Amino acid sequence: SILQAPNTDLSETTNITSNINYTYKDTNDRMFSLDVDYVYFTKEQESSQPNFYVTPNNENVTSENVNFQETPIEIDVYSAKTDYEQKFFKGTLGIGAKISQVNTNNIFNFYNVANNVRTINDNRSNTFDYEERIIAGYFNYKFKVKKFNLQVGLRAENTNSNGVLTAATVQNNKTVKRNYLNWFPSGGISFAPNKNNSLALVYSRRIARPNYENLNPFESQINELSFRKGNPFLQPQFTENIKISNTYKYRLTTSVTYSYMSDFFAEVTESEGDRRGFIQTQ
């Protein structure tokens, strides 16, 4: 048999962003800035998924399975950050802090359709609520020693998150809580041996968090033979970067970069039984 699955998707997105900021700077090169942001995001999405099994000659329908999905998403993001910079000893010192709060609500309603009548399937319908609060602080110091320009910095981030899966039927891993602290050092040194060349060595540590869709443990059907599901136990990935570069006459830059990534995540396709496959970030 041949599966025909002419899916139809309809979605409507609303995205509202607002910002208030203030910056102060005086004649002593002291600078203070404050940013407050709010983002509101919604997505109404419907998906019609008819699945028709036909004979190889494409003449007769041997069986059919029609379903319908409603998957609305609502996200609120609040954030505020402040930065302060001034001269300190023979260099410039910068300090700052940031706090952000994210609240997401995800609904997954799965309907079986027969004779154009939709009946909700409680075994495959659920909601997922996710909250994440990140509190961060940093310092950065830039100074010069003879022909050398140096920079050192350190950022600390505390992440507190909670994901709750609610369904009419019993679910595994329905609550996932996390609370972790990460440190991100950085540094750099540059040197100009002559007027034509400038050498630089830079080190940094970065974080990449999985997006909220990848954390959502919903099983979203692509067609009857494949589906996508989230992984609420995904950890953020970290990258250590070291870069050596040379700039010649402010025109040509050559560089060598080494990166080491830990807790790397990517989309993986696996099979489930003999007939279905699923996509999941792992």
Side-chain angles (χ1 to χ4, degrees):
S1 62
I2 298 173
L3 171 63
Q4 296 180 353
N7 298 346
T8 302
D9 294 308
L10 177 65
S11 65
E12 181 178 335
T13 300
T14 301
N15 193 5
I16 300 172
T17 302
S18 58
N19 167 266
I20 298 174
N21 62 79
Y22 171 78
T23 301
Y24 166 82
K25 188 173 183 179
D26 62 17
T27 56
N28 294 321
D29 289 333
R30 290 181 298 185
M31 187 189 72
F32 170 80
S33 65
L34 175 66
D35 269 280
V36 179
D37 295 274
Y38 171 68
V39 177
Y40 176 71
F41 174 87
T42 62
K43 185 176 184 180
E44 302 290 336
Q45 184 165 336
E46 297 179 350
S47 177
S48 176
Q49 296 188 346
N51 297 276
F52 301 106
Y53 288 91
V54 300
T55 54
N57 58 14
N58 207 28
E59 292 182 354
N60 300 313
V61 176
T62 58
S63 64
E64 64 179 57
N65 180 17
V66 182
N67 56 70
F68 182 83
Q69 300 172 31
E70 292 177 335
T71 56
I73 300 172
E74 183 175 357
I75 302 176
D76 291 278
V77 181
Y78 309 85
S79 68
K81 69 173 183 175
T82 179
D83 299 281
Y84 177 75
E85 187 176 282
Q86 72 166 44
K87 292 182 179 178
F88 186 73
F89 287 106
K90 295 184 179 181
T92 302
L93 174 67
I95 58 174
K98 181 178 181 179
I99 182 171
S100 64
Q101 173 75 34
V102 178
N103 302 320
T104 75
N105 174 257
N106 307 266
I107 299 174
F108 184 77
N109 290 329
F110 188 94
Y111 298 87
N112 297 320
V113 181
N115 299 320
N116 293 323
V117 177
R118 300 173 187 169
T119 304
I120 193 164
N121 186 333
D122 289 332
N123 293 324
R124 302 188 63 178
S125 301
N126 44 37
T127 63
F128 181 67
D129 296 298
Y130 181 79
E131 296 181 0
E132 181 182 80
R133 180 183 294 112
I134 301 174
I135 301 175
Y138 80 91
F139 85 88
N140 186 66
Y141 187 57
K142 296 180 290 185
F143 59 101
K144 186 175 182 179
V145 178
K146 296 182 180 180
K147 292 185 178 182
F148 293 89
N149 292 302
L150 298 99
Q151 175 267 326
V152 292
L154 180 66
R155 188 175 86 254
E157 287 187 3
N158 177 258
T159 302
N160 194 334
S161 65
N162 184 30
V164 179
L165 179 68
T166 305
T169 58
V170 177
Q171 299 282 336
N172 295 325
N173 310 326
K174 63 181 181 178
T175 301
V176 179
K177 290 186 177 182
R178 288 202 185 98
N179 192 339
Y180 54 89
L181 176 67
N182 297 118
W183 299 88
F184 301 94
S186 63
I189 181 172
S190 63
F191 169 63
N194 52 59
K195 63 180 182 180
N196 292 329
N197 293 277
S198 177
L199 300 171
L201 172 64
V202 178
Y203 165 80
S204 64
R205 186 172 190 255
R206 296 287 183 261
I207 185 173
R209 292 182 174 84
N211 62 40
Y212 308 125
E213 180 182 14
N214 290 336
L215 294 171
N216 189 334
F218 286 169
E219 292 187 2
S220 177
Q221 182 168 293
I222 300 171
N223 55 54
E224 197 169 45
L225 302 183
S226 60
F227 63 98
R228 180 186 301 272
K229 65 179 180 179
N231 182 358
F233 294 98
L234 274 180
Q235 298 288 339
Q237 68 183 24
F238 300 90
T239 305
E240 316 269 350
N241 290 308
I242 298 177
K243 181 179 180 180
I244 302 173
S245 63
N246 177 72
T247 301
Y248 177 70
K249 290 188 175 181
Y250 301 99
R251 293 182 179 180
L252 176 65
T253 299
T254 55
S255 62
V256 176
T257 303
Y258 172 78
S259 297
Y260 175 80
M261 189 175 295
S262 58
D263 291 326
F264 173 74
F265 55 78
E267 282 194 344
V268 178
T269 302
E270 295 187 11
S271 62
E272 182 182 81
D274 296 330
R275 290 178 54 84
R276 299 206 328 169
F278 66 90
I279 301 171
Q280 185 182 49
T281 302
Q282 300 179 5

